[in-house]
Amino acid sequence: MQHDNGVRWNGISLVAGGAGFLGSHLVERLLSERRRVVCVDSFLSGTGDNIARFASHPGFRLVRQDIQRPLPLDGEAIDEIYNLACAASPPRYQADPHHTMMTSVIGTSNLLELASARGARFLQASTSEIYGDPEVHPQTEDYVGSVNCTGPRACYDEGKRAAETICFDFLRVGRADARIARIFNTYGPRMRADDGRIVSNFIVQALAGERMTVFGDGSQTRSFCYVSDLIDGLVRLMRVDPNPGCPVNLGNPGEFTVEELAAIVSRKIPTAQGIRRMPLPQDDPRRRQPDIARARTLLGWEPKVALDEGLAQTIAWFSQQRAGRKLEAAE
Ligand code: UDP
């Protein structure tokens, strides 16, 4: 327990990627637990808007930096490091593929060195993408994956796979207490409107009275987890004792085709205009559904928010953002 300015803090968490979609929700959760938070972000895909609400919080500190450079953090008693720093939507991570790969490899390595020096626990935000286009369905953590290492998604998939390797190398020799969450598609408020992922694209398009862009024939599937569920899973994995010593899938097992999602969004947004077909991107995984037996057993975790409810919250948030922008334009 640390004291300053009369506040009793329950420790210090570093959140790399703290200005991003998931990162900013995690920062909020940690501050609510009276932990101090050092938010590290390069603002490549994170935004000032996501963290503006914390700017005057006494427990919040921002370090504007790319994790590929070693962090200038002298002497702070950091006891938890969450690594959520990496562009995560296909258009964004493919915009500068070499940078994406190095964020996972060099950035994760830098943060593990810091965890090792401080004796901090380390949580790596890994991804269902490490399974590639899976031949095993639903995906269990034992499945080693099927990734095309020369394709356009490889900078993200292989980078995240290498990051897991580095985490396990540190863990095996006792250099860091590293934990790995394999995060499946997550959605909710604070996704960027221009992020390029399916949930944000469909909602933004439907609210604007445009047709929703369905890539390919729309029969590919994804499983969508609401952000509050995911954050709870991350924190549980960081805190569980002992370290599970194995990766843990975090996602909602409810599986939907892209076309089904378009139909659901259509029903929820009166201005929706149907769909428009676009070419299927190369190496787009055909199916994806997490097996969460391990998370249930080890963490006592499972998602609570159904797609219907999560989408309603997300649509309400995007509608507010849109109304705010209209108001600004009118002033
Ligand atoms: N997708 C789509 N229309 C969009 C964006 C995505 O049909 O406007 C499809 C995409 O081809 C993929 C699925 O939706 O099959 C999920 O894509 P997303 O980019 O959200 O995540 P990821 O492919 O990384 O799971």
Side-chain angles (χ1 to χ4, degrees):
M1 186 95 62
Q2 302 142 16
H3 298 249
D4 67 38
N5 303 332
V7 183
R8 283 151 42 132
W9 299 105
N10 294 321
I12 307 183
S13 303
L14 183 151
V15 181
F21 161 49
L22 294 181
S24 64
H25 284 278
L26 178 60
V27 168
E28 193 167 0
R29 160 77 185 257
L30 296 168
L31 289 172
S32 78
E33 295 176 345
R34 265 202 277 122
R35 295 184 63 82
R36 285 173 58 198
V37 174
V38 180
C39 167
V40 179
D41 209 293
S42 68
F43 293 92
L44 182 72
S45 56
T47 68
D49 280 354
N50 282 345
I51 52 168
R53 74 203 78 224
F54 316 127
S56 59
H57 193 292
F60 181 78
R61 180 155 95 81
L62 174 65
V63 177
R64 183 182 283 263
Q65 193 179 305
D66 193 314
I67 57 167
Q68 291 188 44
R69 288 197 292 125
L71 292 158
L73 297 170
D74 294 329
E76 285 188 85
I78 294 163
D79 58 349
E80 290 185 349
I81 297 177
Y82 294 84
N83 181 18
L84 279 69
C86 191
S89 80
R92 283 191 182 274
Y93 69 64
Q94 289 171 27
D96 188 348
H98 183 243
H99 185 269
T100 299
M101 181 93 186
M102 291 304 131
T103 297
S104 282
V105 176
I106 296 175
T108 305
S109 180
N110 280 339
L111 291 173
L112 279 163
E113 292 287 1
L114 185 66
S116 180
R118 301 295 164 85
R121 287 189 179 189
F122 182 88
L123 186 140
Q124 170 67 8
S126 190
T127 166
S128 56
E129 281 288 314
I130 69 105
Y131 300 121
D133 190 9
E135 301 125 322
V136 168
H137 193 80
Q139 291 78 57
T140 54
E141 291 89 345
D142 295 335
Y143 174 52
V144 295
S146 162
V147 173
N148 172 9
C149 70
T150 59
R153 297 176 85 100
C155 58
Y156 187 72
D157 302 8
E158 296 290 5
K160 289 283 188 180
R161 287 171 68 92
E164 287 200 14
T165 305
I166 303 168
C167 288
F168 272 93
D169 288 338
F170 271 70
L171 179 64
R172 253 189 300 270
V173 297
R175 286 188 69 197
D177 181 350
R179 291 127 194 268
I180 292 174
R182 291 187 178 154
I183 300 173
F184 285 65
N185 298 62
T186 304
Y187 70 99
R190 298 188 209 155
M191 293 185 94
R192 288 179 68 136
D194 61 354
D195 182 59
R197 273 180 285 196
I198 187 168
V199 174
S200 45
N201 273 7
F202 280 7
I203 293 175
V204 167
Q205 289 161 348
L207 288 174
E210 293 164 10
R211 285 183 295 161
M212 291 176 280
T213 49
V214 168
F215 298 168
D217 66 6
S219 65
Q220 69 272 35
T221 69
R222 294 293 187 272
S223 304
F224 302 100
C225 186
Y226 190 62
V227 63
S228 58
D229 282 331
L230 194 277
I231 298 301
D232 189 49
L234 293 179
V235 173
R236 282 173 189 247
L237 180 54
M238 179 63 106
R239 307 270 165 83
V240 72
D241 275 315
N243 183 333
C246 54
V248 180
N249 285 342
L250 293 178
N252 191 320
E255 186 187 10
F256 297 85
T257 67
V258 161
E259 207 141 74
E260 281 168 346
L261 184 71
I264 296 169
V265 172
S266 262
R267 285 199 294 276
K268 289 186 166 302
I269 301 183
T271 49
Q273 292 295 324
I275 63 165
R276 170 163 70 99
R277 293 205 187 272
M278 307 264 288
L280 187 69
Q282 188 189 329
D283 295 336
D284 198 277
R286 289 286 318 147
R287 301 185 74 183
R288 195 182 281 155
Q289 183 189 33
D291 180 315
I292 60 164
R294 188 175 281 179
R296 279 197 175 104
T297 309
L298 293 177
L299 312 179
W301 177 88
E302 64 181 1
K304 296 191 176 77
V305 183
L307 184 64
D308 215 48
E309 186 191 336
L311 279 179
Q313 301 280 345
T314 311
I315 291 167
W317 185 80
F318 273 109
S319 301
Q320 273 169 16
Q321 296 291 108
R322 203 177 138 76
R325 275 197 306 276
K326 272 194 184 153
L327 207 65
E328 269 172 29
E331 276 166 4

